[in-house]
Amino acid sequence: MKESRILRYWEAFQKVSGVTGEHYLAEQFGYGKQVGDESAELIRIGKKTATTSALELYEKMSLNPKYVLTVLF
């Protein structure tokens, strides 16, 4: 279920942004369910408006993301 919602979100993003490609990365915030849920709630209520991640972490996984999407379910 969540995978199909993420895919629909990705496809909608592609339509409005012009981004092409079939690859995206969907991950949770933080280092566990509780931290992830708390972060998502802060976004939902408008207190958290930005996030960051170390490029080195993506480079180690051979990923080079150009876009990062935040999807709340």
Side-chain angles (χ1 to χ4, degrees):
M1 167 97 168
K2 284 187 180 181
E3 293 81 12
S4 64
R5 290 177 71 183
I6 293 170
L7 181 57
R8 286 195 311 268
Y9 187 89
W10 174 250
E11 289 170 345
F13 171 77
Q14 286 181 304
K15 286 179 185 175
V16 299
S17 68
V19 171
T20 60
E22 297 179 11
H23 302 286
Y24 59 88
L25 178 63
E27 296 180 328
Q28 74 177 35
F29 285 107
Y31 47 85
K33 181 174 177 11
Q34 181 178 350
V35 172
D37 288 349
E38 289 170 359
S39 294
E41 178 62 13
L42 292 173
I43 292 168
R44 191 187 70 74
I45 64 174
K47 286 194 173 188
K48 180 175 176 57
T49 59
T51 194
T52 184
S53 188
L55 179 59
E56 293 84 12
L57 297 175
Y58 292 101
E59 290 173 339
K60 288 179 183 177
M61 296 185 295
S62 298
L63 299 172
N64 187 13
K66 292 182 180 179
Y67 303 94
V68 177
L69 304 177
T70 302
V71 182
L72 302 177
F73 292 101

